[in-house]
Amino acid sequence: NVSSLFCSGSRSSKTFKPKKNIPEGSHQYELLKHAEATLGSGNLRMAVMLPDGEDLNEWVAVNTVDFFNQINMLYGTITDFCTEESCPVMSAGPKYEYHWADGTNIKKPIKCSAPKYIDYLMTWVQDQLDDETLFPSKIGVPFPKNFMSVAKTILKRLFRVYAHIYHQHFDPVIQLQEEAHLNTSFKHFIFFVQEFNLIDRRELAPLQELIEKLTSKDR
């Protein structure tokens, strides 16, 4: 089977997606800098709030790109542990299994290994982020009417990568001393999606206990 050979071959190079850069000097870059500065204060609830006078679509866009980069990097550290053999299905614990479909190239959900699923997912997200009609980077170019629904789908899918890492690869995360980094990134992500009601509660179920634990200290 040529396609499976190709998949495992391309996989072994352990490439993960290039970082998506927000152009310097742009308004979105200023927003990203603002986000980083407020994150530095340590108050994540405050850090996710829409800055005064800013456009919600733009704020969601900047943060979505940032979460894509963070998750990309976090998953990149554990790709050696996430293989066709270790993770033949894309799961988040015994109760949750994800099948891939993007609605265009793959319309009917397919069952695939976690590394394959995450590769599909991150490639799909990257394609959305690179689409100037969806994520305009130029000042004054309006966001499309369906922007928020696209952003919600992206964030819902990115959550699944966190869920897979927590459920299936937490031991290597601890060995690599990435635990604090992962927790902070995930907590930031959860506060953000909670603030703007971007992911359905049912979708968050695989990490519900962790979410309650991480967010209870900050109520």
Side-chain angles (χ1 to χ4, degrees):
N1 182 329
V2 177
S3 65
S4 65
L5 269 173
F6 171 73
C7 296
S8 56
S10 63
R11 186 69 209 158
S12 60
S13 60
K14 290 284 177 267
T15 49
F16 55 111
K17 305 286 161 244
K19 192 166 188 277
K20 167 83 179 160
N21 285 319
I22 289 175
E24 269 189 66
S26 68
H27 183 62
Q28 292 188 6
Y29 189 78
E30 297 306 310
L31 274 181
L32 182 66
K33 289 285 157 251
H34 169 88
E36 285 168 1
T38 52
L39 276 176
S41 72
N43 184 335
L44 287 172
R45 282 259 181 248
M46 292 290 289
V48 297
M49 288 176 180
L50 180 66
D52 284 348
E54 292 298 344
D55 175 48
L56 178 60
N57 284 345
E58 198 149 37
W59 183 238
V60 170
V62 166
N63 282 278
T64 300
V65 169
D66 192 35
F67 289 126
F68 168 77
N69 286 335
Q70 287 183 43
I71 293 166
N72 200 1
M73 203 171 67
L74 284 161
Y75 181 68
T77 63
I78 58 104
T79 50
D80 287 343
F81 304 95
C82 186
T83 63
E84 304 279 328
E85 294 70 42
S86 69
C87 304
V89 295
M90 173 64 178
S91 63
K95 289 209 297 249
Y96 300 95
E97 185 178 306
Y98 300 113
H99 297 173
W100 178 254
D102 57 16
T104 46
N105 300 323
I106 299 174
K107 291 192 167 68
K108 196 163 174 277
I110 56 167
K111 194 169 175 167
C112 53
S113 69
K116 192 83 196 98
Y117 184 101
I118 291 170
D119 193 32
Y120 276 134
L121 187 158
M122 297 306 257
T123 303
W124 176 84
V125 172
Q126 196 176 27
D127 289 344
Q128 311 303 304
L129 300 182
D130 287 340
D131 182 342
E132 281 287 326
T133 64
L134 276 178
F135 280 78
S137 58
K138 294 178 185 65
I139 302 251
V141 176
F143 282 83
K145 288 194 170 53
N146 65 333
F147 171 75
M148 214 41 102
S149 69
V150 172
K152 285 178 176 178
T153 305
I154 291 172
L155 293 165
K156 173 180 84 175
R157 289 178 172 172
L158 288 175
F159 168 81
R160 295 170 181 179
V161 185
Y162 280 120
H164 180 72
I165 295 173
Y166 271 112
H167 276 285
Q168 313 300 133
H169 302 296
F170 200 58
D171 287 346
V173 167
I174 291 169
Q175 285 160 23
L176 294 162
Q177 298 181 311
E178 292 268 347
E179 186 183 357
H181 182 182
L182 175 64
N183 284 345
T184 304
S185 173
F186 180 61
K187 190 170 171 178
H188 179 202
F189 178 88
I190 286 300
F191 281 0
F192 189 81
V193 300
Q194 284 178 344
E195 175 73 15
F196 303 106
N197 205 8
L198 297 169
I199 302 184
D200 193 297
R201 261 186 81 94
R202 285 171 314 199
E203 285 285 337
L204 300 173
L207 293 177
Q208 198 50 51
E209 281 173 40
L210 176 69
I211 291 168
E212 278 162 21
K213 200 168 92 180
L214 289 176
T215 56
S216 63
K217 301 185 197 77
D218 294 82
R219 288 239 160 82

